[in-house]
Amino acid sequence: MSLIVSVKKQLGDFLLDVEFESEAGILGMLGASGCGKSMTLKCIAGIETPDEGRIVLNGVTLFDKEKQINRKPQQRNVGYLFQNYGLFPNMTVEQNVLCGLWRVKNRGRKKQLAGKMLRRMRLTGLEKHFPHELSGGQQQRTALARILVTEPEILLLDEPFSALDSHLRVQLEVEMKDLLREYGKDVIFVSHNRDEIYRSCDTLAVMDQGQVVRHDTVKNVFRRPLNRQAAALTGCKNIAAAVKTAERQVYVPDWGMHFTTAEPVEDGLTAIGIRAHYFNTKTPANCRQIHFVEKVEEPFEWIYKFRYADAKPDSTPVWWRITKETKIEKMPDTLGIAPQNIMLIY
């Protein structure tokens, strides 16, 4: 399985300029609202037409501006799950699924295929229900059943959990992940939620202002985001401008602090990132005196905000997160950070 996307589309002042390739597995697309994630999916599905470029799915060209190829959406064999699921409100669950089988002319065969899919999606007993009579999870499974019954070559999921209450999301993520593994073909999973992406996807494309700014395995992107936007979107709270001072050393002016790094520092360094969980009272490396600023309580963690002793007085405080099970009688005088936990940003 393979997908090649290299397209441009001008939308007023916004330019979508996306280029990436994806092999088998689940590709996550992470980015803030308005960065071009959904527009990218619509170009792949044929709902929107790029101004230039090409899209190739498993060796079949879906769009090529130069060759004047632009397959209609129904000719692309692409399954698209919209944010609101797009169910027909005046049709039952069974009728919605049957709509996906419009190519099958034999009525008996259509009923057989629909019934098999309804059983697979655990919708047995709900065949005659209308969408408004279903829970959010049941609506999602109905929409997926309508898509998967067509056996698409690729499945596009556009914020699939955004319409659900937060307490349902994790449960449905597990169900969705099992279904996608069983589906066994390419999937693009669009979200602005880093936790959903981390739990569900194999690879990750980070988008910013219409472009893919980082593309790698999910764990590699979280471990080495390499640019400021990817670091922020993957949850890094401590990002500060930095300069290279040696092969494995950087200086952060706002913090008045030199840090030793595990990996060599390349030219073009602009900042460093440190995840809030990585500070440690027992780590001798990169250890320096700190001054407590404030303590913030979250449901399961404490956030301690501090400044280094030589930091600029108006600099943004550094975040240190610890679980509530970690007992701290008072704020420590010093904190260290292992060199391998200094993320270099270019």
Side-chain angles (χ1 to χ4, degrees):
M1 298 294 175
S2 66
L3 174 69
I4 301 171
V5 177
S6 178
V7 296
K8 293 183 181 181
K9 184 174 180 65
Q10 191 74 47
L11 299 154
D13 296 332
F14 178 81
L15 174 63
L16 181 73
D17 185 1
V18 174
E19 186 168 350
F20 66 90
E21 295 186 23
S22 176
E23 298 297 330
I26 304 174
L27 167 66
M29 296 193 79
L30 178 67
S33 297
C35 72
K37 306 185 302 296
S38 294
M39 183 57 62
T40 300
L41 294 194
K42 290 175 181 177
C43 288
I44 296 170
I47 299 170
E48 294 284 348
T49 301
D51 299 327
E52 56 183 277
R54 68 187 186 118
I55 301 170
V56 181
L57 175 62
N58 297 332
V60 177
T61 300
L62 306 184
F63 173 82
D64 192 312
K65 181 66 174 180
E66 287 189 2
K67 296 180 180 179
Q68 296 186 330
I69 298 172
N70 187 19
R71 291 175 179 260
K72 296 179 180 179
Q74 58 268 33
Q75 297 173 327
R76 298 193 178 199
N77 201 17
V78 169
Y80 194 131
L81 181 66
F82 294 92
Q83 291 184 29
N84 61 358
Y85 308 140
L87 296 173
F88 299 113
N90 60 336
M91 292 185 180
T92 65
V93 168
E94 183 181 45
Q95 289 169 336
N96 266 281
V97 176
L98 286 169
C99 281
L101 293 165
W102 59 273
R103 288 190 180 91
V104 181
K105 303 305 178 186
N106 184 290
R107 292 185 63 183
R109 178 62 175 161
K110 287 177 72 168
K111 291 277 286 186
Q112 181 183 25
L113 291 171
K116 182 179 179 181
M117 183 55 65
L118 288 168
R119 289 191 295 274
R120 177 181 169 189
M121 303 299 287
R122 301 195 320 281
L123 292 166
T124 303
L126 300 172
E127 294 89 343
K128 304 305 178 184
H129 285 59
F130 290 91
H132 72 272
E133 299 175 309
L134 304 176
S135 68
Q138 291 166 344
Q139 289 180 23
Q140 186 184 81
R141 293 204 303 275
T142 301
L144 279 170
R146 187 177 63 187
I147 294 169
L148 295 180
V149 78
T150 68
E151 298 184 348
E153 286 297 307
I154 189 169
L155 181 60
L156 311 179
L157 306 177
D158 193 352
E159 301 276 5
F161 304 112
S162 63
L164 301 173
D165 293 335
S166 58
H167 70 278
L168 291 175
R169 289 188 179 188
V170 175
Q171 176 187 344
L172 292 177
E173 275 181 45
V174 174
E175 294 180 6
M176 174 79 80
K177 189 172 183 178
D178 290 342
L179 285 169
L180 296 181
R181 299 300 180 194
E182 184 181 340
Y183 166 62
K185 296 184 181 179
D186 288 348
V187 178
I188 298 182
F189 184 116
V190 160
S191 178
H192 63 269
N193 186 308
R194 68 177 186 274
D195 295 333
E196 290 177 0
I197 292 287
Y198 193 89
R199 288 190 290 258
S200 302
C201 301
D202 305 304
T203 55
L204 172 58
V206 178
M207 287 195 67
D208 182 37
Q209 299 182 31
Q211 294 184 318
V212 174
V213 296
R214 183 80 167 93
H215 185 195
D216 204 335
T217 66
V218 168
K219 290 188 177 180
N220 279 348
V221 174
F222 274 74
R223 184 175 61 86
R224 298 181 70 240
L226 295 182
N227 64 71
R228 186 180 286 264
Q229 188 65 11
L233 285 169
T234 55
C236 183
K237 298 298 184 184
N238 303 308
I239 303 173
V243 294
K244 176 181 177 180
T245 54
E247 183 183 1
R248 296 177 188 271
Q249 188 180 77
V250 299
Y251 177 66
V252 179
D254 278 0
W255 298 348
M257 178 75 177
H258 285 89
F259 291 92
T260 300
T261 67
E263 62 180 285
V265 184
E266 299 175 14
D267 294 335
L269 180 83
T270 61
I272 65 164
I274 302 177
R275 299 200 183 276
H277 292 96
Y278 286 164
F279 292 100
N280 198 305
T281 58
K282 298 180 181 179
T283 300
N286 297 313
C287 192
R288 191 66 179 272
Q289 186 178 0
I290 61 173
H291 297 309
F292 174 73
V293 176
E294 68 172 323
K295 178 180 177 182
V296 179
E297 183 177 10
E298 292 190 330
F300 307 106
E301 295 178 316
W302 288 106
I303 300 171
Y304 289 88
K305 296 185 181 182
F306 67 88
R307 289 189 179 94
Y308 285 104
D310 296 325
K312 294 179 180 178
D314 59 348
S315 63
T316 301
V318 181
W319 286 35
W320 175 35
R321 283 185 185 271
I322 62 170
T323 63
K324 286 188 172 178
E325 286 74 21
T326 303
K327 301 298 182 182
I328 292 184
E329 300 300 330
K330 66 173 185 174
M331 188 70 179
D333 295 327
T334 61
L335 280 175
I337 182 79
Q340 63 266 29
N341 291 329
I342 305 294
M343 301 188 299
L344 304 177
I345 296 173
Y346 298 94

